[in-house]
Amino acid sequence: MKLTLEFGGGLELLCESVKTHNVDVDQTGEKKLTMKDLLSWVRTNLIKERPEMFMKGDSVRPGVLVLVNDCDWELSGQLDTTLEDKDVVVFISTLHGG
Amino acid sequence: MSGEEGNDNKETSSPQKTTAKKQQLCCICNQKRPALKRPKTLEQICKECFYDVFEEEIHRVIVENRLFKAGERIAIGASGGKDSTVLAYVLSELNRRHNYGLDLFLLSIDEGITGYRDDSLETVKRNEIQYGLPLKVVSYKDLYGWTMDEIVKMIGLKNNCTFCGVFRRQALDRGATLLKVDKLVTGHNADDIAETVLLNILRGDIARLGRCTAITTGEDGPIPRCKPFKYTILGVRIAGIYSPNAYRGFAREFIKDLERMRPRAILDIIRSGENFRIAVSTKMPEQGICERCGYISSQDDLRSTCCLNHFSNSMKREWKWCKACVLLDGLNRGLPKLGIGRSRGVNRQKEVEQTNGTKSIESKQCGTLDF
């Protein structure tokens, strides 16, 4: 499944300073890909350093904003959000002041 | 689209139809798919409606609190962070839309920490172009003759936050003076203020507790400050990566937890802060003028004047300097620890209490609190 992932607010530093990643994520079995699956995929495949800045447990670290197709993932079920081909997922860190 | 139109839509379209659909629609316009949940109201609204509601809310705050007068020159404290960027955008937009007649400027501070401000100064420069607001960058080097890098080289990593913080506080005021503005606005939001309320309660700092919830402060000083985002909840709480102040870190964590349970708790804390009444009999610290730089000392600096008295007593000299001047003097004389030593302060404080016992407010911060 092809997805566009964007990292902002400093999170891009954890994946070699590349903000936009066009990725192809393998689906395991019949089940639809969820955000939970995607996060663990990102952690293994994209995050090159300090994964603790991105994740806490099996979710993102508090203070990281997640948008699925421009919509806050709180509205789509957070970790249970199911993803479709060509979805755009944005991660923005708000972790350093303002 | 205004809020009224949104209401009309709500009345004309049947709500049953909306809920029947798989995806809920925006609570306000009832047309678009929602993009976020407002922490304040828990409404699910779309991006466009969010902008409208947010901007009009800030407009209402500005009008109701009479933050500005037509013709005033206003400096926007711009750090390049999200809050001040949004502030710059909203103010320039509202100024146009509602004809405030304000002369707006961006004011940035460059502490002189290699790499630290590069990105944020870029952002501020972009803001300058995007919103057509003139930008003034004031550096620590300009103001104090020292960059933070130079200071760290001299005193090490410990305690340098004291310098940075004290210098930054004055830097905005001094920069604002340089721009000859009437007022300074900052992007402090409801979360910041709630945090400060808690901290001042924990520290028993009633002087600050009385003022920290005011939307405009320093009206008796040369340049008043105001916070148009006083009632704006951040939504996503910032968890600082490094927290120079463990106490503040604690308050932050606590507020974050409260907010997770009920976002409006933030506003309730501010309300509580506003409703504190301090007994008239309580002695309050006075404001003074620094004898070295002429800066009107806020409470912050007055504390350090006490601090200074500690060692000026032992040196048999009467100085009344602001905290920045004390620190700067230490740096210039190669004694950078002057004015920061807490452990020393305890002994000195005893001396002061013995010599002029009533004068030290520092040691007796708790007054009577009336609700």
Side-chain angles (χ1 to χ4, degrees):
Chain A
M1 174 161 33
K2 289 198 166 46
L3 296 170
T4 304
L5 308 181
E6 287 172 30
F7 295 85
L11 285 176
E12 69 276 12
L13 298 173
L14 308 182
C15 27
E16 295 172 323
S17 296
V18 180
K19 287 203 172 200
T20 309
H21 299 255
N22 292 303
V23 298
D24 202 342
V25 183
D26 286 331
Q27 262 169 286
T28 44
E30 292 289 289
K31 259 180 41 207
K32 276 195 167 174
L33 187 79
T34 62
M35 276 304 296
K36 192 175 174 180
D37 305 326
L38 179 69
L39 284 179
S40 77
W41 187 91
V42 168
R43 189 185 176 134
T44 354
N45 296 284
L46 288 183
I47 305 289
K48 300 286 189 246
E49 53 181 304
R50 290 175 290 168
E52 72 278 5
M53 301 289 289
F54 180 61
M55 287 182 73
K56 190 178 179 187
D58 57 1
S59 190
V60 292
R61 193 179 159 192
V64 176
L65 213 67
V66 184
L67 305 175
V68 180
N69 297 325
D70 268 349
C71 176
D72 192 332
W73 78 334
E74 276 196 32
L75 297 181
S76 54
Q78 296 181 327
L79 284 173
D80 300 324
T81 310
T82 53
L83 296 167
E84 312 269 339
D85 199 41
K86 293 188 184 120
D87 273 355
V88 181
V89 183
V90 184
F91 301 97
I92 302 170
S93 170
T94 59
L95 292 178
H96 38 85
Chain B
M1 209 177 297
S2 75
E4 288 164 37
E5 252 175 274
N7 286 339
D8 289 342
N9 282 340
K10 224 175 256 173
E11 281 159 26
T12 48
S13 71
S14 76
Q16 285 88 356
K17 211 173 163 187
T18 323
T19 43
K21 276 184 196 164
K22 202 178 142 204
Q23 176 101 31
Q24 268 195 331
L25 293 176
C26 166
C27 291
I28 294 171
C29 67
N30 233 347
Q31 287 172 348
K32 295 204 176 94
R33 279 176 51 180
L36 64 136
K37 206 193 249 174
R38 284 210 79 188
K40 201 176 276 185
T41 56
L42 298 178
E43 287 174 312
Q44 305 196 354
I45 57 178
C46 69
K47 230 192 271 180
E48 289 74 13
C49 289
F50 172 70
Y51 287 141
D52 289 337
V53 176
F54 175 72
E55 286 162 18
E56 284 316 300
E57 200 175 288
I58 302 304
H59 172 59
R60 224 172 37 239
V61 169
I62 289 172
V63 173
E64 278 171 12
N65 295 282
R66 301 201 184 102
L67 293 190
F68 309 118
K69 286 190 209 88
E72 278 182 332
R73 282 166 70 88
I74 309 288
I76 303 168
S79 65
K82 58 183 175 0
D83 295 336
S84 57
T85 301
V86 174
L87 183 64
Y89 161 77
V90 171
L91 282 189
S92 68
E93 178 63 32
L94 293 178
N95 191 29
R96 245 191 309 271
R97 192 187 298 166
H98 296 287
N99 296 315
Y100 291 165
L102 300 177
D103 227 349
L104 297 170
F105 296 83
L106 293 171
L107 173 58
S108 275
I109 305 301
D110 185 358
E111 295 91 345
I113 305 172
T114 308
Y116 179 60
R117 283 284 174 209
D118 294 357
D119 286 355
S120 45
L121 284 179
E122 277 311 304
T123 310
V124 180
K125 279 173 197 157
R126 253 199 329 269
N127 295 345
E128 176 183 27
I129 299 162
Q130 267 177 304
Y131 312 133
L133 304 173
L135 165 69
K136 173 81 187 165
V137 180
V138 182
S139 73
Y140 277 17
K141 187 83 180 170
D142 298 337
L143 291 175
Y144 307 107
W146 291 76
T147 67
M148 268 315 288
D149 281 346
E150 288 164 353
I151 294 173
V152 170
K153 213 176 272 172
M154 177 121 171
I155 68 158
L157 283 169
K158 223 178 149 192
N159 285 327
N160 65 66
C161 293
T162 309
F163 286 84
C164 201
V166 170
F167 286 173
R168 185 186 293 132
R169 213 187 138 72
Q170 288 202 6
L172 269 182
D173 284 322
R174 289 176 185 220
T177 312
L178 226 72
L179 280 175
K180 295 192 174 68
V181 298
D182 299 301
K183 253 172 216 150
L184 183 60
V185 291
T186 56
H188 289 106
N189 57 45
D191 298 59
D192 298 326
I193 296 169
E195 200 176 287
T196 312
V197 169
L198 274 187
L199 277 177
N200 286 334
I201 292 173
L202 291 172
R203 288 195 284 231
D205 191 339
I206 43 164
R208 282 213 190 82
L209 183 60
R211 293 171 304 147
C212 72
T213 54
I215 194 161
T216 304
T217 51
E219 277 169 302
D220 45 349
I223 294 164
R225 287 183 177 219
C226 60
K227 318 174 191 98
F229 288 170
K230 178 184 165 187
Y231 301 104
T232 307
I233 302 180
L234 199 58
V236 186
R237 194 57 209 126
I238 297 163
I241 312 175
Y242 50 80
S243 177
N245 185 337
Y247 229 55
R248 188 166 276 271
F250 163 75
R252 238 168 221 212
E253 267 320 292
F254 180 65
I255 290 207
K256 204 169 68 186
D257 290 342
L258 282 180
E259 189 172 351
R260 207 173 294 139
M261 289 181 259
R262 202 171 64 94
R264 285 197 70 92
I266 303 298
L267 297 178
D268 296 340
I269 292 175
I270 297 179
R271 176 61 57 86
S272 310
E274 287 170 344
N275 287 334
F276 265 102
R277 292 290 175 274
I278 292 147
V280 212
S281 56
T282 308
K283 255 193 194 153
M284 294 293 239
E286 288 163 36
Q287 289 211 324
I289 288 175
C290 172
E291 288 174 3
R292 189 169 183 255
C293 69
Y295 183 79
I296 295 186
S297 297
S298 61
Q299 309 297 351
D300 253 349
D301 302 312
L302 202 96
R303 282 164 162 239
S304 63
T305 313
C306 287
C307 227
L308 183 76
N309 281 342
H310 302 165
F311 74 78
S312 63
N313 262 341
S314 63
M315 291 168 76
K316 306 279 180 227
R317 272 194 66 178
E318 289 291 323
W319 285 330
K320 266 201 163 179
W321 287 3
C322 68
K323 190 152 189 164
C325 284
V326 178
L327 292 175
L328 206 54
D329 183 55
L331 279 174
N332 292 335
R333 285 171 32 196
L335 300 164
K337 295 223 163 83
L338 281 186
I340 36 172
R342 270 258 156 126
S343 49
R344 277 184 359 163
V346 176
N347 294 330
R348 304 272 188 218
Q349 208 156 319
K350 277 183 196 150
E351 281 173 33
V352 174
E353 271 171 59
Q354 280 162 3
T355 47
N356 48 351
T358 48
K359 211 179 168 186
S360 172
I361 304 142
E362 182 82 325
S363 55
K364 261 192 197 169
Q365 270 187 354
C366 308
T368 342
L369 294 173
D370 286 348
F371 287 90

